[in-house]
Amino acid sequence: MSVVKELYIATQCLYEHAEKPLPKEDDARDQFIAIIDLKLEHRAALIEQIERENLTAGEKKLGDELIKLNTKLNARLEVIQAEIQANLSELKVKKQTHKKYENPYDGPTTDGVFFDKRGV
């Protein structure tokens, strides 16, 4: 099997996996991301093996389809990344809220501030 065909199959497999919804449970989510990472590493190794000068016409045609599939894959991976970033920012806000709840007197407060009208 040619390297281009292997790369196409690997990309298609990665795309099919990325199309699944991101799991809500932490362990399943970590496993989902780890699988994507492994498949991306395998795909990167295959890309490095391709010799552009020695491609046949069939491999070039498959390469064109590979580029189209890669565009879809990149869009899906960006959606996954954005979802993970949103979850991280949500978690950060929850931590800050929890800290304020645990110790409400820590940090600056706007309540109880006295402003002198006459100036100093």
Side-chain angles (χ1 to χ4, degrees):
M1 184 183 321
S2 72
V3 178
V4 178
K5 190 167 185 174
E6 273 187 69
L7 178 61
Y8 184 79
I9 292 170
T11 304
Q12 193 171 16
C13 183
L14 175 61
Y15 180 70
E16 288 171 3
H17 181 73
E19 277 295 303
K20 296 177 186 174
L22 196 62
K24 299 292 181 193
E25 301 85 32
D26 290 338
D27 292 337
R29 179 179 291 225
D30 290 343
Q31 187 178 14
F32 182 83
I33 294 170
I35 290 171
I36 287 179
D37 193 38
L38 282 172
K39 291 182 183 217
L40 283 172
E41 287 176 11
H42 175 68
R43 194 168 161 262
L46 289 173
I47 290 173
E48 290 178 7
Q49 293 177 5
I50 293 177
E51 298 174 7
R52 293 183 183 205
E53 298 83 33
N54 300 334
L55 293 178
T56 64
E59 288 175 338
K60 287 182 182 180
K61 188 175 180 181
L62 190 61
D64 291 338
E65 290 182 28
L66 185 61
I67 290 171
K68 292 175 188 174
L69 182 61
N70 193 44
T71 305
K72 291 180 190 177
L73 177 64
N74 283 340
R76 178 61 185 149
L77 290 177
E78 286 176 6
V79 168
I80 291 173
Q81 183 181 12
E83 191 174 336
I84 291 171
Q85 289 291 338
N87 290 340
L88 287 175
S89 62
E90 183 181 308
L91 181 66
K92 186 176 180 181
V93 168
K94 282 182 182 179
K95 281 185 177 181
Q96 288 174 348
T97 305
H98 182 69
K99 261 187 183 176
K100 287 180 183 177
Y101 179 76
E102 287 291 321
N103 192 0
Y105 302 111
D106 189 28
T109 61
T110 57
D111 296 338
V113 177
F114 176 74
F115 291 104
D116 189 3
K117 290 182 184 177
R118 292 182 227 145
V120 177

